[in-house]
Amino acid sequence: MDNRFSRGWRVEKVSFQTVRETNLRSVLRTVRELAPCSRAAVAAATGLNKTTVSSLVVDLMGRGLVRETGETSQRRVGRPGVLLALDDRSVAAIGVEVNVDYLSVVAVDLLDRELVERHVPLDARAAGARECARRIVAALEETMKLPEVRDRTVVGVSVAVPGLIDVPSGVVTRAPNLGWRNVPLGDLVRECLAGMPVLVDNDANLGAMAEYRFGPCSGTSDLVYLTGEVGIGAGVLTGGELLRGAGGWAGEIGHLELEPNGPECSCGRRGCLEALAGVEAILREALPDRVPDHPLSGGDVAALVGTAVERAQAGDPTTVAALERAGTWLGRGVAALVNVVNPGALVLGGYFVPLTPWLLPRCREAALARSFAPEAGGCRMEPSDLGLSAAARGGAAVMIHALDTGALPLPKATAPA
């Protein structure tokens, strides 16, 4: 990941201008890339002299970011060099995703390894924005008290939301499926966490970053992640960089109009992809005897998706036909993405994943038929294997990456440097 992912952060009362601060991050990045490695190897890679590197390593060790492995490098001349690695014992970052019917929480260590994953049912529509903010803070505080996290320094928190986000301010400009407008979520969370750095971003963007780093198509620099929730958003990577657009609101593929006389969408228009192939729309068509007329509440979606899977596996014609129609609509939306950004991979996430045996064949078929480029431009289409925590996972990883790039302050030393 490059530092372009970190644009738009708001970090208060921190200066990254000193040469030492820059050098500390350079050494930290180098240890991440080369570990286990000697101080001499770090000096050679960074161009810093060995004395400076030794001083910086001591500083980073005091901050709980670098440790000595106890192993030594084998040299032909001179004393063996003690090897360095990232310290995976002292630091954590936490990502949260709020969606219509749940909160997901993921904590990771300095090596991006998962420490905690929690899934909390939540009727976010009924709760409202301020109650959701309170629940987010409560989930964070509970997570920070868990044995896996409580003795670590939490360097930052990310919150993923399905909607339009002004990332620099942390304001949720519009989240129609939650019923939110102009909610200062970043401030609401930050003020309860003693000023801890907080990033608020779109759930599809953070999901795309998780897929880029950890998913079945990891390392694909031109990638699209489709959220499979009540709404549909697209996190788009082009050349390894998030496509945000002029106002930071790119990726709202769910509000691409595909059928002018189609069903009404939560945005107030008709025939949007989301109204045709969002999970709530799928369930209404697939389970007409089970889905109420009113919007689905917390806990309903997961149970109904399970029922749809059971009926489809049993060959229920209504359910199978509804899923296949939704797959065709998804494929038409994917074709638009293929024609505009030509991704190398497209990943279906969220509640789409258990439905992919019926969605994906029709999605591929429609994308191939409607894409201008032959074979859909070579786009590989796969289900995610990151579950309902992809956005939270991606957000936590972004916070760790931000330590290397300067978007977050380094933790204070806990031992004399």
Side-chain angles (χ1 to χ4, degrees):
M1 290 175 74
D2 66 33
N3 61 11
R4 292 169 291 186
F5 284 148
S6 303
R7 288 177 180 169
W9 291 68
R10 174 176 158 184
V11 180
E12 300 173 351
K13 299 181 181 178
V14 178
S15 169
F16 302 104
Q17 303 308 309
T18 66
V19 172
R20 185 171 181 83
E21 187 82 6
T22 300
N23 288 342
L24 281 169
R25 295 181 191 280
S26 178
V27 171
L28 182 63
R29 288 193 299 272
T30 302
V31 173
R32 182 182 296 280
E33 293 166 3
L34 301 182
C37 57
S38 66
R39 289 166 173 78
V42 173
T46 60
L48 299 170
N49 67 55
K50 294 179 182 179
T51 301
T52 299
V53 167
S54 293
S55 173
L56 294 169
V57 166
V58 171
D59 192 336
L60 291 170
M61 290 173 66
R63 296 171 189 264
L65 298 173
V66 169
R67 63 182 176 87
E68 294 179 337
T69 67
E71 302 174 3
T72 57
S73 61
Q74 298 299 316
R75 298 187 200 168
R76 294 183 179 180
V77 180
R79 294 185 303 170
V82 177
L83 298 183
L84 305 170
L86 295 182
D87 192 337
D88 56 357
R89 305 164 299 181
S90 302
V91 165
I94 304 177
V96 180
E97 178 184 0
V98 57
N99 226 299
V100 170
D101 64 328
Y102 66 86
L103 282 178
S104 281
V105 185
V106 174
V108 303
D109 66 15
L110 193 59
L111 293 174
D112 279 336
R113 295 184 303 199
E114 188 175 285
L115 299 169
V116 172
E117 180 182 1
R118 303 176 61 212
H119 196 72
V120 183
L122 171 67
D123 189 345
R125 282 172 169 163
R130 290 191 174 271
E131 175 60 16
C132 280
R134 190 194 71 77
R135 294 285 296 276
I136 289 167
V137 171
L140 288 167
E141 290 175 340
E142 290 167 7
T143 300
M144 286 187 276
K145 292 176 183 177
L146 294 174
E148 298 89 343
V149 180
R150 66 188 176 202
D151 295 326
R152 296 170 179 265
T153 299
V154 177
V155 295
V157 166
S158 72
V159 183
V161 179
L164 300 179
I165 316 295
D166 181 55
V167 176
S169 68
V171 172
V172 181
T173 304
R174 189 180 184 195
N177 288 313
L178 300 179
W180 296 4
R181 276 186 178 270
N182 298 321
V183 175
L185 187 61
D187 286 342
L188 292 175
V189 174
R190 192 179 295 109
E191 68 188 14
C192 296
L193 296 177
M196 182 180 293
V198 174
L199 168 72
V200 181
D201 205 342
N202 175 267
D203 61 338
N205 286 340
L206 294 178
M209 296 169 72
E211 295 296 337
Y212 179 54
R213 298 195 64 150
F214 312 112
C217 300
S218 61
T220 304
S221 59
D222 293 276
L223 177 147
V224 173
Y225 173 77
L226 288 187
T227 61
E229 306 295 342
V230 170
I232 301 177
V236 182
L237 295 176
T238 60
E241 182 177 358
L242 266 175
L243 177 66
R244 291 191 179 273
W249 298 341
E252 291 296 332
I253 188 69
H255 300 291
L256 176 69
E257 184 184 278
L258 295 179
E259 180 56 69
N261 297 316
E264 186 175 357
C265 182
S266 63
C267 70
R269 301 174 179 84
R270 286 192 171 274
C272 294
L273 176 61
E274 185 172 297
L276 296 162
V279 168
E280 186 166 339
I282 292 174
L283 293 173
R284 291 191 186 284
E285 293 289 320
L287 306 172
D289 60 322
R290 293 290 302 274
V291 179
D293 291 336
H294 57 78
L296 298 179
S297 59
D300 288 344
V301 179
L304 289 169
V305 168
T307 300
V309 170
E310 290 173 3
R311 290 191 183 180
Q313 288 173 336
D316 179 76
T318 299
T319 302
V320 171
L323 294 175
E324 290 181 343
R325 280 195 301 274
T328 297
W329 286 118
L330 277 175
R332 293 180 180 184
V334 169
L337 286 166
V338 168
N339 289 340
V340 174
V341 298
N342 186 205
L346 180 132
V347 182
L348 296 180
Y351 290 119
F352 283 154
V353 174
L355 302 175
T356 50
W358 303 276
L359 294 176
L360 202 49
R362 292 300 180 94
C363 178
R364 287 176 174 143
E365 181 180 304
L368 287 167
R370 288 181 172 259
S371 301
F372 180 71
E375 299 298 316
C379 181
R380 173 185 172 190
M381 301 175 207
E382 301 289 347
S384 174
D385 60 6
L386 299 181
L388 295 178
S389 299
R393 185 76 173 79
V398 166
M399 306 307 286
I400 292 297
H401 174 69
L403 287 175
D404 294 357
T405 62
L408 281 182
L410 294 172
K412 294 181 179 179
T414 56

